[in-house]
Amino acid sequence: MRPSLLAAVAAAALLPVAAASAQDRSAANRLIDEGMNHSQVMQTAQHLTDVIGPRMTNSPAMRTAEGWTAEQFAKWGLKNVHKEGFAFGRGWSIERASVRMVSPRPLQLTAIPIAWTPGTNGAVTAPVIVAPMKRERDFDKWRGQLRGKIVMVTMPGTGDEQTSAPFRRLTGEDISKLDLYVQPEHDPDSADRRMKRLDFAQKLDAFLKAEGAIAYVTQSYRDGKLVHGEGYLFGRGETPAVPGIELAAEDYRRLARLTKTGPAPTIEVLSDVRYDDSDVNAYNIIAEIPGTDPKAGYVMAGAHLDSWVAGDGASDNAAGSAMIMEAARILAATGQRPKRTIRFALWSGEEQGILGSMAYVEQHLASRGRPDDAPQSGLKRYYGWTNRWPITPKPGYGDLAAYFNIDNGSGKLRGIYAENNPAAVPMLKEWLSPYASLGAGNVVQRTTGGTDHVFMQAVGVQGFQFIQDPLDYGSRTHHSSADTFDHLKGDDMRQASVVLAGVLLAAANADKALPRPPVPTQPATTKPFDFTDTDD
Amino acid sequence: MRPSLLAAVAAAALLPVAAASAQDRSAANRLIDEGMNHSQVMQTAQHLTDVIGPRMTNSPAMRTAEGWTAEQFAKWGLKNVHKEGFAFGRGWSIERASVRMVSPRPLQLTAIPIAWTPGTNGAVTAPVIVAPMKRERDFDKWRGQLRGKIVMVTMPGTGDEQTSAPFRRLTGEDISKLDLYVQPEHDPDSADRRMKRLDFAQKLDAFLKAEGAIAYVTQSYRDGKLVHGEGYLFGRGETPAVPGIELAAEDYRRLARLTKTGPAPTIEVLSDVRYDDSDVNAYNIIAEIPGTDPKAGYVMAGAHLDSWVAGDGASDNAAGSAMIMEAARILAATGQRPKRTIRFALWSGEEQGILGSMAYVEQHLASRGRPDDAPQSGLKRYYGWTNRWPITPKPGYGDLAAYFNIDNGSGKLRGIYAENNPAAVPMLKEWLSPYASLGAGNVVQRTTGGTDHVFMQAVGVQGFQFIQDPLDYGSRTHHSSADTFDHLKGDDMRQASVVLAGVLLAAANADKALPRPPVPTQPATTKPFDFTDTDD
């Protein structure tokens, strides 16, 4: 090192934190100005929800969203905008659907077709029968009784009531409770149980078809006239034969009670759905702000762009997608030239099994192999992925310095889940520090699951999620017919976009990368002596 | 007073409360056994809601309910079961209704026809226009722009979120806050303001028709995909010309936003409704347990049987109707022979202006006159009733010792609102005392409004309501599409029926009647110096 440079370094060393903070805070203020005073995030979210609508993987609307988001990235000056495909299955969308009680009295019911089930080919009218089935041995009870019937397959139960506030924000105490290292759980049978549920859906369909049932009906798992319509038989060649409908809980239970007090009600079902087999692949959308140091690797943020179909996929996850896009726009608009590349991803296939980010891991980070006889499409193609060993890192494995995921609704960012990576905490705290007064300064150890960071974690790449104010995500909007733009909060969305941009910029410019965990090897089960009834 | 009688009175005076309590508690235990262990209240409520369905005044379902409830009373041994008619207007019911967005993308919307508006005569498809109108001068802004359009007349706003628990029970502290004498308000203009809103509905209809609008759409006042559909133009000869539809708030606001970001959406509206003009009269159902002393007068309990049409009218007010019927059944089944007659009323026309109980007051209790030019049916027939003086008591005025009303959902009874009648408190407390351990021992001074005791109060007859646990009545079910049997709670309904039976029996057997307030005379306005803009 040259003496003059050494002197400069020594002088700077007297105030290293202050100097770094001054630099961060100066960039932070530009991000805050762009994101708070010139925000586009609500316009982006509105286009994704109101105009494009729900974005079921491989549906025509999702194809539109793939194109539109890529165009927006390019328009805002992002580079290397492209899509990356992975095997998925059929497209499916609803053209028209209505369900109506015909007798004992006329009544419109609240209903939605179950995803990927076939339409009714015009309106069909038939009496209902309550025939709850959740395992194969339940079939025997109903054999011979279902011909010409519309079969109500859910046990109705008695409903529940909301005794806590549906819309809420996290208190400091709530957040402090999240700062806890959690024993990782290793249960090799859990994937089997998921696949058993998929197998059961196929067996139920075959049974209903063989018995001559006209359609089947499930009950919404939320009260208050909300419906959801999730279904998983999206692979080519595994489309069910029998149309399926989810009814609002109130409507389902009314039908069930009426079967107890009088002749079974007759209902009229119209489900007009469309399949799209033009392309078996689903696509992740990728865009970048290139780094100035080609050897420094990249940091990444992602959110899934696909959604379920009952609402407009607003809080789940147009919100996260719009935050990702807005963070990209803010960084581009403010002319940031980070050391590391910042890569943005809008995932597909998340709702059917976190498939888009799994495909990214397979394509870029690490291989876990796939059996030769894996199906060409559908969820079973991805069966058992996390149970296959060893993990074989790919050449790009070391380049991804940190991944940040957004998929917990539209609430403001309150900090980061360090996801059982205690060594990362000091750097995460430092990156968040300019945004503490925006409410986002917290780093907690708790792990989170169920979304696109988990398969990064599963191969040893640091994938984080943000702590977000829950708002009404869990209580009302998640997957439901109320998941519309109305329930997104602009102040929250703007704050989240700014904080996300800030964390990405800090991570991309950090002198050192985050400490990495080791590449995972086959763990010991944490349930060596557990007995579980996997029949239910 | 004779000496022997005096001695007996003196002996009794040593233990008057204990003796009365022993007697009450013995009867109370029989009522509790019948009502808790042999209850029929949920079966009654289920029949009213699931089987008969929503009971709009004068609709075919309400006619069915009138007949069925009278049959039940007679079957249970009630006497003098009959119906009492009063002028109302047209019957109206929904046969089929659906609304669907056609462009920019296909989407089923959640909607309900507005009561008493005409159908669309098949499906109609047209672009929407957002044209908020809430006073006549707003018409000028939209004149010439509405031809061939479906007109969105509500200002959309931005929605709201539930930050308190939708389902709750009253704490002791909640109840103690209700024990407060409240200054009665006298505002002679308030009735005028209600009539102005009705006038505006008629003027809006005439304006929309003249402008060539195809239909109009309002926005639900609750978020979360709930709809209601209230309308008030039920008089013969005042039926609107233009079909009206209420849309779920999420669906309405989506349409409104889409008009801002692109071409106005096109929607398809199908509203198939039926009028029934077979009888202009609505009917209250009356039933009795005759008193043993024909000169002792009567006590009375009532609940409105009619409902709005979006749900099944469960918490509002099949719940109260079923409690009234069950209290009658319990008293009859346990063979009670009260001193005073106990009269039960199931009111009609409550939802359109508390008209059934007003008719009862006019027929049995006191006259306030009616102008010669009052319309033969419709809400305007009843215009200005509480502003007409003097009140002329009828011969039966003094016979009604106390009226108890139920119309606050299905929650358990926690006590009685004394309705600014402090002199009644000691006796009300005594009547409730056997049921204190059931949670119903409270008497508070607060007044309540908006239901069938108010016109009793308005002529000086003691009309009370019960304090009830609110459950999700105000937050979710009241008038909404979620007002179904699912949200009624059996334990609450059984408790309420028992307590109601007990209070009625105690009131019917009480040695002395409640102290009566004076017959009201024209009061001084409590707003002598207020200026109110009545334009909105």
Side-chain angles (χ1 to χ4, degrees):
Chain A
M1 195 181 280
R2 286 177 293 150
S4 63
L5 185 61
L6 188 67
V9 169
L14 296 173
L15 303 162
V17 174
S21 293
Q23 185 182 10
D24 287 348
R25 279 171 218 279
S26 167
N29 280 343
R30 291 198 302 279
L31 305 183
I32 289 169
D33 173 57
E34 181 64 31
M36 295 299 197
N37 299 318
H38 308 283
S39 175
Q40 290 292 312
V41 69
M42 292 305 275
Q43 287 87 336
T44 300
Q46 193 267 344
H47 192 89
L48 289 173
T49 54
D50 289 346
V51 179
I52 295 176
R55 301 162 306 283
M56 283 270 282
T57 306
N58 281 17
S59 68
M62 182 59 175
R63 299 304 189 200
T64 303
E66 290 161 5
W68 183 78
T69 54
E71 275 170 28
Q72 294 298 108
F73 277 130
K75 194 178 92 178
W76 292 330
L78 278 282
K79 305 298 179 196
N80 192 23
V81 180
H82 66 283
K83 60 184 187 178
E84 300 184 353
F86 61 96
F88 179 78
R90 311 187 76 180
W92 182 90
S93 59
I94 301 170
E95 180 68 19
R96 184 187 285 265
S98 89
V99 179
R100 186 171 165 267
M101 187 162 74
V102 174
S103 75
R105 56 188 172 95
L107 179 66
Q108 292 294 143
L109 308 181
T110 300
I112 191 164
I114 292 169
W116 283 286
T117 67
T120 52
N121 195 19
V124 294
T125 302
V128 301
I129 179 171
V130 181
M133 292 178 271
K134 62 177 185 178
R135 37 180 121 60
E136 262 186 278
R137 68 166 184 267
D138 296 333
F139 295 166
D140 290 339
K141 197 168 167 189
W142 305 109
R143 205 179 301 277
Q145 300 179 55
L146 309 182
R147 183 159 307 275
K149 301 282 175 63
I150 294 171
V151 184
M152 298 169 63
V153 300
T154 311
M155 183 65 76
T158 52
D160 67 317
E161 306 292 347
Q162 289 182 305
T163 53
S164 59
F167 185 93
R168 69 188 186 92
R169 294 186 181 279
L170 295 174
T171 63
E173 194 186 340
D174 291 333
I175 293 174
S176 69
K177 284 180 187 164
L178 301 170
D179 192 14
L180 188 72
Y181 182 89
V182 178
Q183 162 68 50
E185 294 290 335
H186 301 295
D187 173 9
D189 296 332
S190 67
D192 280 344
R193 286 196 292 272
R194 277 198 300 277
M195 280 303 126
K196 262 195 177 167
R197 286 198 290 272
L198 195 70
D199 283 339
F200 178 73
Q202 292 185 301
K203 285 170 179 162
L204 177 63
D205 179 64
F207 175 69
L208 292 170
K209 185 185 176 193
E211 293 290 307
I214 286 181
Y216 75 98
V217 183
T218 64
Q219 176 179 307
S220 171
Y221 50 83
R222 271 198 187 90
D223 273 33
K225 297 284 275 183
L226 300 180
V227 292
H228 310 82
E230 297 102 329
Y232 295 89
L233 292 172
F234 54 84
R236 284 195 182 170
E238 63 183 22
T239 300
V242 180
I245 295 283
E246 178 186 317
L247 274 184
E250 285 85 353
D251 291 328
Y252 187 97
R253 290 196 212 99
R254 184 198 293 106
L255 291 175
R257 289 188 301 267
L258 284 170
T259 64
K260 277 205 172 188
T261 58
T266 295
I267 67 174
E268 174 195 280
V269 176
L270 169 64
S271 170
D272 179 1
V273 302
R274 306 290 159 91
Y275 293 94
D276 179 355
D277 291 321
S278 57
D279 188 350
V280 74
N281 279 343
Y283 294 94
N284 299 323
I285 304 301
I286 306 290
E288 290 181 357
I289 292 179
T292 54
D293 179 353
K295 293 179 186 162
Y298 65 101
V299 298
M300 188 172 191
H304 69 87
L305 180 61
D306 68 293
S307 76
W308 288 111
V309 79
D312 291 335
S315 69
D316 188 17
N317 190 18
S321 299
M323 291 171 191
I324 295 287
M325 294 171 72
E326 176 72 355
R329 192 195 65 78
I330 291 170
L331 291 166
T334 56
Q336 303 300 328
R337 302 264 294 150
K339 184 170 76 174
R340 294 181 185 81
T341 291
I342 304 176
R343 187 173 292 177
F344 301 91
L346 297 175
W347 309 117
S348 188
E350 194 275 346
E351 295 294 6
Q352 290 77 39
I354 320 181
L355 304 180
S357 53
M358 187 199 285
Y360 183 89
V361 170
E362 290 188 322
Q363 289 161 11
H364 297 275
L365 300 176
S367 164
R368 307 190 74 146
R370 170 161 293 131
D372 291 340
D373 62 349
Q376 291 303 301
S377 70
L379 189 50
K380 287 188 178 177
R381 177 175 173 79
Y382 299 95
Y383 173 72
W385 190 81
T386 51
N387 284 340
R388 286 198 291 274
W389 304 95
I391 293 166
T392 309
K394 299 205 164 204
Y397 182 82
D399 295 343
L400 178 47
Y403 172 75
F404 297 93
N405 194 66
I406 304 221
D407 186 20
N408 286 314
S410 73
K412 65 164 60 169
L413 306 193
R414 303 296 303 277
I416 296 177
Y417 291 102
E419 304 279 345
N420 279 7
N421 187 347
V425 171
M427 292 183 75
L428 295 173
K429 281 197 169 155
E430 170 59 23
W431 298 346
L432 283 171
S433 64
Y435 309 98
S437 66
L438 279 70
N442 306 285
V443 179
V444 300
Q445 272 308 320
R446 274 287 298 272
T447 58
T448 62
T451 182
D452 291 294
H453 65 307
V454 298
F455 294 127
M456 312 268 181
Q457 292 279 9
V459 298
V461 170
Q462 303 97 316
F464 303 103
Q465 278 225 105
F466 290 94
I467 307 162
Q468 289 184 261
D469 274 343
L471 310 187
D472 52 356
Y473 185 64
S475 63
R476 180 148 82 169
T477 63
H478 182 253
H479 293 194
S480 88
S481 43
D483 193 12
T484 60
F485 181 85
D486 301 62
H487 299 283
L488 307 185
K489 302 295 162 200
D491 287 350
D492 290 68
M493 298 273 290
R494 286 182 279 273
Q495 184 264 17
S497 305
V498 164
V499 173
L500 174 61
V503 167
L504 287 171
L505 185 60
N509 281 330
D511 290 339
K512 297 204 293 187
L514 286 173
R516 293 184 79 98
V519 177
T521 53
Q522 185 158 11
T525 175
T526 45
K527 300 180 184 298
F529 306 115
D530 286 13
F531 293 86
T532 306
D533 181 359
T534 60
D535 192 38
D536 283 356
Chain B
M1 196 177 279
R2 286 177 295 147
S4 63
L5 184 61
L6 188 67
V9 170
L14 296 174
L15 302 161
V17 174
S21 292
Q23 184 181 12
D24 286 348
R25 278 171 220 279
S26 167
N29 280 343
R30 290 197 302 278
L31 306 182
I32 290 169
D33 173 57
E34 181 64 31
M36 295 300 195
N37 299 318
H38 308 283
S39 177
Q40 289 292 312
V41 70
M42 293 304 275
Q43 286 87 335
T44 299
Q46 193 267 345
H47 192 89
L48 289 173
T49 54
D50 289 344
V51 179
I52 296 177
R55 300 162 306 282
M56 284 270 282
T57 305
N58 282 16
S59 67
M62 183 58 176
R63 299 304 189 199
T64 303
E66 290 161 4
W68 184 79
T69 53
E71 275 168 30
Q72 293 299 106
F73 277 131
K75 193 179 92 178
W76 292 329
L78 278 283
K79 305 299 178 195
N80 193 22
V81 180
H82 66 283
K83 59 184 187 176
E84 300 184 353
F86 61 95
F88 180 77
R90 313 187 74 182
W92 182 90
S93 59
I94 302 170
E95 179 68 19
R96 184 187 285 266
S98 89
V99 179
R100 187 169 164 269
M101 187 162 75
V102 173
S103 74
R105 57 188 170 94
L107 180 65
Q108 293 293 143
L109 307 181
T110 300
I112 190 164
I114 293 169
W116 284 285
T117 67
T120 53
N121 196 18
V124 295
T125 303
V128 301
I129 179 171
V130 181
M133 292 179 271
K134 63 177 184 178
R135 36 181 121 60
E136 262 186 280
R137 69 167 183 268
D138 295 334
F139 295 166
D140 289 338
K141 196 168 168 189
W142 304 109
R143 206 178 300 278
Q145 299 178 57
L146 308 182
R147 185 159 305 276
K149 302 282 175 62
I150 294 171
V151 185
M152 298 170 62
V153 301
T154 311
M155 182 66 74
T158 50
D160 66 316
E161 305 293 347
Q162 290 182 305
T163 53
S164 59
F167 185 94
R168 70 187 186 92
R169 295 187 179 277
L170 296 173
T171 63
E173 194 186 341
D174 292 333
I175 292 174
S176 69
K177 283 181 186 163
L178 301 171
D179 191 15
L180 189 72
Y181 182 90
V182 179
Q183 162 69 49
E185 294 289 337
H186 301 295
D187 173 8
D189 295 333
S190 67
D192 280 344
R193 286 196 291 273
R194 277 198 300 277
M195 280 303 126
K196 261 195 178 166
R197 286 197 291 271
L198 194 69
D199 283 340
F200 178 73
Q202 292 185 301
K203 285 170 179 161
L204 177 62
D205 178 63
F207 175 68
L208 292 170
K209 184 185 176 192
E211 293 289 308
I214 287 181
Y216 75 99
V217 182
T218 63
Q219 177 180 305
S220 171
Y221 50 83
R222 271 198 188 89
D223 273 34
K225 297 285 274 184
L226 299 180
V227 292
H228 311 82
E230 296 103 330
Y232 295 88
L233 292 171
F234 54 85
R236 284 195 182 171
E238 63 183 22
T239 300
V242 179
I245 295 283
E246 179 185 317
L247 274 185
E250 285 84 354
D251 291 328
Y252 187 97
R253 291 196 211 99
R254 183 198 293 106
L255 290 175
R257 289 189 301 267
L258 284 170
T259 65
K260 277 205 171 187
T261 57
T266 295
I267 67 174
E268 173 195 280
V269 176
L270 170 64
S271 170
D272 179 1
V273 302
R274 306 290 159 92
Y275 294 94
D276 179 355
D277 291 322
S278 56
D279 188 349
V280 74
N281 280 342
Y283 294 94
N284 300 321
I285 305 301
I286 306 290
E288 290 181 358
I289 292 179
T292 54
D293 179 352
K295 294 180 186 161
Y298 66 101
V299 298
M300 189 173 191
H304 70 85
L305 180 61
D306 68 293
S307 76
W308 288 111
V309 78
D312 292 336
S315 70
D316 189 16
N317 189 18
S321 299
M323 290 171 191
I324 295 288
M325 294 171 73
E326 176 71 356
R329 192 196 65 78
I330 290 170
L331 291 166
T334 55
Q336 303 301 328
R337 303 264 295 151
K339 185 170 75 173
R340 295 180 185 81
T341 292
I342 304 175
R343 187 173 292 176
F344 301 91
L346 298 175
W347 309 117
S348 187
E350 194 275 347
E351 295 294 5
Q352 290 77 39
I354 320 182
L355 304 180
S357 52
M358 187 198 285
Y360 184 89
V361 171
E362 290 188 321
Q363 289 162 10
H364 297 274
L365 300 175
S367 164
R368 308 190 74 147
R370 171 161 293 129
D372 291 339
D373 62 350
Q376 291 303 301
S377 69
L379 189 51
K380 288 188 177 177
R381 176 175 173 80
Y382 299 94
Y383 172 73
W385 191 81
T386 52
N387 284 339
R388 287 198 291 275
W389 304 94
I391 293 167
T392 309
K394 300 203 165 207
Y397 183 81
D399 295 343
L400 177 47
Y403 171 75
F404 297 93
N405 194 67
I406 302 221
D407 186 21
N408 285 314
S410 73
K412 65 164 64 168
L413 305 194
R414 303 297 303 277
I416 295 177
Y417 291 102
E419 305 279 345
N420 278 9
N421 188 347
V425 171
M427 291 183 75
L428 294 173
K429 281 198 168 152
E430 171 59 22
W431 298 346
L432 283 171
S433 63
Y435 309 97
S437 66
L438 280 69
N442 306 286
V443 178
V444 301
Q445 272 309 319
R446 275 286 298 273
T447 58
T448 61
T451 182
D452 291 293
H453 64 307
V454 299
F455 295 127
M456 312 266 182
Q457 292 280 7
V459 299
V461 170
Q462 303 98 315
F464 302 103
Q465 279 223 104
F466 291 94
I467 307 163
Q468 289 184 261
D469 274 343
L471 310 188
D472 52 354
Y473 185 64
S475 62
R476 179 147 83 168
T477 63
H478 182 251
H479 293 194
S480 87
S481 44
D483 193 13
T484 59
F485 181 85
D486 301 62
H487 298 283
L488 307 185
K489 301 297 163 198
D491 287 350
D492 290 68
M493 299 273 289
R494 284 182 280 272
Q495 184 265 16
S497 305
V498 164
V499 174
L500 174 62
V503 168
L504 287 171
L505 184 60
N509 281 329
D511 290 339
K512 299 205 295 188
L514 285 173
R516 293 184 79 98
V519 177
T521 53
Q522 186 156 11
T525 174
T526 45
K527 300 180 184 297
F529 306 114
D530 285 13
F531 294 86
T532 307
D533 181 358
T534 59
D535 192 39
D536 282 356

